[in-house]
């Protein structure tokens, strides 16, 4: 055998021995892809939470984050069912639909977004004209009331408030639908006797001049679990560590936005994203005039249970639902504990 042949055989033998060892080296773990749904902002912070550089230390390391816009909660439920979304922002009116109607029995509540009607914070207002002669909810008998959509969160609150005063849909009042941006015009043109406004429309000077608040969300539901994050248990079980990292970054961003020292910059970030003047948000955003946001991102399960029970009483939920069975608060608790 020639010297060259001996060298070649030896080289092949070394390569053969080295190949298995090389194949046993662990591959670098890829960040977990997390797509998160949102409907409206700044109520939802999902499209805003990473706008301030340097707050999210885990992003693009243990996870990637993609905000996905949806027009309505049912579309997020469909996306969850089809594995097209990892986190859905649902509320008290849509969560039972996901569990009972869509069959997502593995749906879990993992973090909070906003609560409506918390004492000392914003509560969704329901307005009548100052010249309407309507002074009490009972005065709506025979009147026309406007909602943004049948079965929506604000619609169910309205129905509950009126039922508590003995008024029932169709028998005692008529419901029409109008998007939030058009509610003011509906009242101004006397097409409805009662309207509901959402932020920022609740602080419209023309509304304040023309109308008065007849009642608010506290009258119908008390504290309202308006929006919270949900994910499927199968995804949580596979990616728990990455989710805790995401929720830690979420709490950091949440606290930064709520800090009065950062108010002007937080308003600028929001206004820039929405392409609106900062003055539209300066007086209320991330203050007590805004929805309540828990600084630790922890959902209010007691309020949610009460809300869902009322929805069932209204006939929009077909069976009782024990929300404690569908919550995994260990993730957000671990995330918040890291920051203490």
């Amino acid at each position: 055998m020639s010297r060259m042949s001996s060298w070649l055989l030896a080289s092949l033998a070394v390569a053969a021995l080295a190949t298995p060892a090389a194949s046993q080296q662990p591959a670098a773990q890829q960040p977990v892809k997390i797509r998160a749904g949102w409907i409206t902002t700044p109520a939802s912070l999902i499209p805003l939470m990473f706008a301030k550089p340097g707050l999210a230390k885990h992003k693009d390391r243990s996870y990637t984050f993609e905000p996905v816009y949806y027009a309505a909660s049912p579309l997020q439920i469909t996306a969850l069912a089809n594995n097209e979304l990892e986190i859905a922002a649902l509320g008290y009116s849509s969560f039972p639909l996901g569990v009972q109607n869509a069959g997502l029995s593995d749906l879990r509540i993992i973090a909070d977004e906003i609560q409506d009607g918390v004492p000392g914070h914003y509560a969704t207002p329901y307005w009548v004209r100052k010249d309407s002669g309507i002074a009490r909810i009972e005065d709506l008998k025979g009147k026309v009331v406007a909602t943004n959509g049948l079965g929506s969160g604000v619609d169910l609150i309205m129905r509950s408030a009126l039922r508590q005063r003995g008024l029932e849909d169709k028998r005692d009042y008529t419901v029409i639908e109008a998007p939030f941006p058009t509610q003011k015009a509906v009242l101004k043109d006397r097409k409805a006797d009662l309207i509901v406004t959402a932020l920022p429309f609740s602080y419209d000077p023309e509304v304040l001049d023309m109308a008065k608040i007849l009642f608010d969300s506290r009258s119908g539901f008390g504290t309202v679990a308006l929006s919270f994050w949900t994910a499927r248990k199968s995804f949580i079980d596979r990616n728990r560590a990455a989710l805790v990292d995401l929720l830690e970054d979420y709490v950091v961003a949440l606290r930064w936005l709520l800090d009065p020292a950062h108010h002007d910059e937080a308003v600028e970030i929001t206004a820039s994203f929405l392409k609106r003047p900062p003055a539209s948000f300066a007086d209320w955003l991330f203050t007590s005039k805004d929805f309540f946001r828990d600084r630790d991102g922890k959902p209010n399960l007691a309020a949610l249970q009460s809300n869902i029970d009322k929805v069932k009483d209204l006939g929009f939920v077909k069976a009782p639902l024990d929300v404690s069975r569908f919550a995994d608060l260990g993730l957000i608790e671990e995330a918040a504990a890291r920051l203490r």
Side-chain angles (χ1 to χ4, degrees), residues 169-233:
D169 182 18
K170 296 182 178 63
R171 187 192 72 187
D172 299 307
Y173 59 90
T174 301
V175 180
I176 64 171
E177 296 180 82
F180 283 125
T182 67
Q183 291 270 333
K184 176 178 71 174
V186 166
L187 189 65
K188 185 176 181 179
D189 296 340
R190 301 182 187 271
K191 294 178 180 178
D193 301 286
L194 178 85
I195 64 165
V196 58
T197 54
L199 291 171
F201 307 109
S202 299
Y203 297 121
D204 184 322
E206 191 173 1
V207 172
L208 296 173
D209 182 62
M210 169 182 61
K212 63 182 181 180
I213 297 173
L214 184 65
F215 63 93
D216 61 32
S217 52
R218 298 186 187 99
S219 304
F221 270 44
T223 296
V224 181
L226 202 57
S227 181
F228 43 84
W229 289 10
T230 64
R232 301 188 70 172
K233 185 178 184 298

Side-chain angles (χ1 to χ4, degrees), residues 252-265:
V252 168
L254 175 62
R255 292 179 181 180
W256 187 90
L257 291 165
L258 291 175
D259 188 339
H262 306 142
H263 178 71
D264 290 348
E265 188 176 357

Side-chain angles (χ1 to χ4, degrees), residues 103-162:
L104 298 179
S105 60
D106 65 342
L107 199 56
R108 297 294 182 265
I109 300 160
I110 62 170
D112 200 37
E113 274 205 316
I114 52 174
Q115 298 174 38
D116 187 2
V118 173
H121 285 263
Y122 175 81
T124 297
Y126 295 76
W127 307 79
V128 295
R129 290 180 62 102
K130 291 178 179 177
D131 61 3
S132 66
I134 298 172
R136 306 175 303 154
I137 292 177
E138 291 85 346
D139 296 335
L140 292 171
K141 187 176 179 66
K143 304 295 186 182
V144 176
V145 302
T147 179
N148 71 314
L150 299 178
S152 70
V154 297
D155 178 58
L156 296 175
I157 290 170
M158 178 192 70
R159 291 172 187 271
S160 178
L162 269 61

Side-chain angles (χ1 to χ4, degrees), residues 41-42 45 48 51 257 264-276 278 281 284-286:
T41 194
L45 298 183
L48 299 176
L257 291 165
D264 290 348
E265 188 176 357
V267 166
E268 289 286 347
I269 287 171
T270 305
S272 176
F273 179 82
L274 293 173
K275 297 179 173 55
R276 297 187 59 181
F281 308 96
W284 60 270
L285 185 62
F286 304 127

